[in-house]
Amino acid sequence: MANQNREEVVCVTGANGFIGTWLVKTLLEKQTPRYKINATIFPNSDPSHLFTLHPEAQSRITIFPVNILGSTAVSSAIKNCSGVFHVASPCTLEDPTDPQKELLEPAVQGTLNVLEASKRAGVKRVVLTSSISAMVPNPNWPEKKAIDETSWTDVEYCKLRGKWYPVSKTEAEKLAWEFREKNDGIDVVAVHPGTCLGELIQKEMNASSAVLQRLMVGSKDTQECYWLGAVHVKDVARAHVLVYETPTAAGRYLCVNGIYQFSSFAKTVSELYPDFPIHSFPDETQPGLTPCKDAARRLIDLGLVFTPIQDAIKEAAESLMAKGFLQRTPSKN
């Protein structure tokens, strides 16, 4: 955990992605301790925006082009680090052609490589970016009980329906807990974001922003039973740092600004952007989902204050329009 009296070196995997970028920004803005960051990026991807995040970014960020499946390369990035934030994991809204190669292997083997390298380096805590997708869908969850950190995605249910991203996140996280159980001296804490919204600092559109973008151009996709809520990406980044720096933090931390129906999210977006062709969903788009305002109670108890979801939606939408991913004047088609 963080030592408040010295400079500290930490590793962030997938540092130039959406969550990774905001996490790097949050770490750079901390004064006590003063973080230096070993930032892993997928080879040939662009990390240039990371150096715009802080006046000292150039001197405090070291870039490591790393395929997470390469254990030697992963080890080189984690060596001499006191902590690791393992964010890197493939995420897409499209159905994979080869689920094993595109999603499962990078998520599971990549997590194992990070944990093994962390153990060799003497890292005391690894903060794992898991996902709401490792908690739902769970068809056997008690009716009228709000989802909490004890819920696990039903992997077989997802496999039968070809939903491979939840499978990848669930199997990767379960591997992390098994590793923690078998290896003394290394700690693991997991953060479970929902749909992350906010300003796009990187050039590419991430999967969570694509959910909003598709909704605003008329998509009727209800996200099935995977939807639990949204969260500002800066709150996700703060949650990672918070659980890293809090010695008593342990286990899984749900990170959403409340659990609610996708229909209510769509209604909020429509109220903010009435000129856009946003589909009106039935109130019960997901039967059995129990809303909960303070679902992320464990993070709230640690001191995290969540950003109003309206602000996250507006920042995300304006960013999508500014970068040309969404027309500022809605199409009439």
Side-chain angles (χ1 to χ4, degrees):
M1 279 63 72
N3 185 319
Q4 302 295 316
N5 299 316
R6 64 177 178 85
E7 186 172 80
E8 187 167 350
V9 182
V10 294
C11 177
V12 177
T13 70
N16 57 340
F18 187 47
I19 293 176
T21 294
W22 276 87
L23 177 54
V24 169
K25 176 179 171 65
T26 303
L27 289 166
L28 289 173
E29 290 172 350
K30 293 279 295 183
Q31 296 298 318
T32 52
R34 182 176 182 273
Y35 288 107
K36 298 188 74 172
I37 301 160
N38 287 359
T40 83
I41 66 166
F42 193 78
N44 299 317
S45 64
D46 183 9
S48 58
H49 62 277
L50 297 178
F51 297 102
T52 69
L53 299 177
H54 190 275
E56 299 176 355
Q58 196 73 39
S59 62
R60 291 169 59 188
I61 298 175
T62 303
I63 300 296
F64 290 79
V66 166
N67 184 332
I68 209 73
L69 294 177
S71 59
T72 301
V74 170
S75 292
S76 67
I78 293 176
K79 184 179 180 182
N80 299 322
C81 289
S82 58
V84 173
F85 298 88
H86 180 39
V87 185
S89 187
C91 179
T92 176
L93 296 184
E94 309 300 332
D95 292 331
T97 302
D98 186 341
Q100 181 65 34
K101 183 176 180 180
E102 296 174 40
L103 290 176
L104 298 176
E105 187 177 352
V108 178
Q109 185 61 47
T111 296
L112 179 60
N113 287 346
V114 167
L115 291 170
E116 289 180 337
S118 298
K119 180 184 176 182
R120 288 192 296 269
V123 167
K124 296 303 181 184
R125 174 162 286 180
V126 176
V127 178
L128 175 69
T129 308
S130 190
S131 169
I132 209 77
S133 294
M135 292 181 171
V136 292
N138 183 352
N140 296 317
W141 187 255
E143 189 175 355
K144 297 184 179 180
K145 180 182 178 182
I147 294 289
D148 61 27
E149 285 88 353
T150 62
S151 178
W152 282 94
T153 287
D154 187 327
V155 168
E156 295 306 316
Y157 177 91
C158 291
K159 287 181 178 179
L160 288 172
R161 288 157 179 77
K163 301 299 182 182
W164 295 103
Y165 178 68
V167 176
S168 72
K169 296 303 289 187
T170 305
E171 293 189 350
E173 190 190 346
K174 285 188 173 181
L175 178 145
W177 294 122
E178 290 171 5
F179 188 94
R180 169 67 181 89
E181 188 69 23
K182 296 175 181 177
N183 293 273
D184 293 333
I186 184 170
D187 196 10
V188 177
V189 181
V191 177
H192 292 253
T195 296
C196 296
L197 301 174
E199 179 189 355
L200 285 164
I201 302 175
Q202 82 281 11
K203 296 177 182 178
E204 301 80 13
M205 179 167 58
N206 63 301
S208 285
S209 297
V211 171
L212 177 63
Q213 187 266 350
R214 292 183 182 187
L215 176 65
M216 293 183 72
V217 297
S219 171
K220 298 180 181 180
D221 185 0
T222 65
Q223 306 300 309
E224 296 187 14
C225 54
Y226 307 104
W227 178 265
L228 275 174
V231 61
H232 198 301
V233 65
K234 70 181 178 183
D235 296 339
V236 177
R238 289 170 180 167
H240 280 68
V241 178
L242 184 61
V243 300
Y244 176 68
E245 293 184 343
T246 304
T248 56
R252 311 171 90 202
Y253 287 84
L254 179 58
C255 188
V256 289
N257 198 338
I259 293 173
Y260 42 93
Q261 294 282 349
F262 190 76
S263 58
S264 65
F265 174 73
K267 183 179 179 182
T268 299
V269 177
S270 182
E271 290 170 350
L272 292 171
Y273 295 93
D275 294 334
F276 282 77
I278 298 163
H279 181 67
S280 179
F281 295 90
D283 286 341
E284 292 297 323
T285 54
Q286 293 174 50
L289 176 66
T290 302
C292 179
K293 181 180 179 181
D294 294 333
R297 173 50 58 188
R298 298 191 73 221
L299 281 174
I300 293 171
D301 288 345
L302 289 183
L304 185 66
V305 178
F306 283 92
T307 304
I309 200 60
Q310 292 87 347
D311 292 350
I313 292 169
K314 286 189 288 186
E315 287 184 33
E318 294 302 316
S319 184
L320 286 168
M321 287 185 268
K323 289 184 176 291
F325 294 122
L326 185 65
Q327 292 183 0
R328 191 167 290 278
T329 303
S331 171
K332 295 182 180 180
N333 293 328

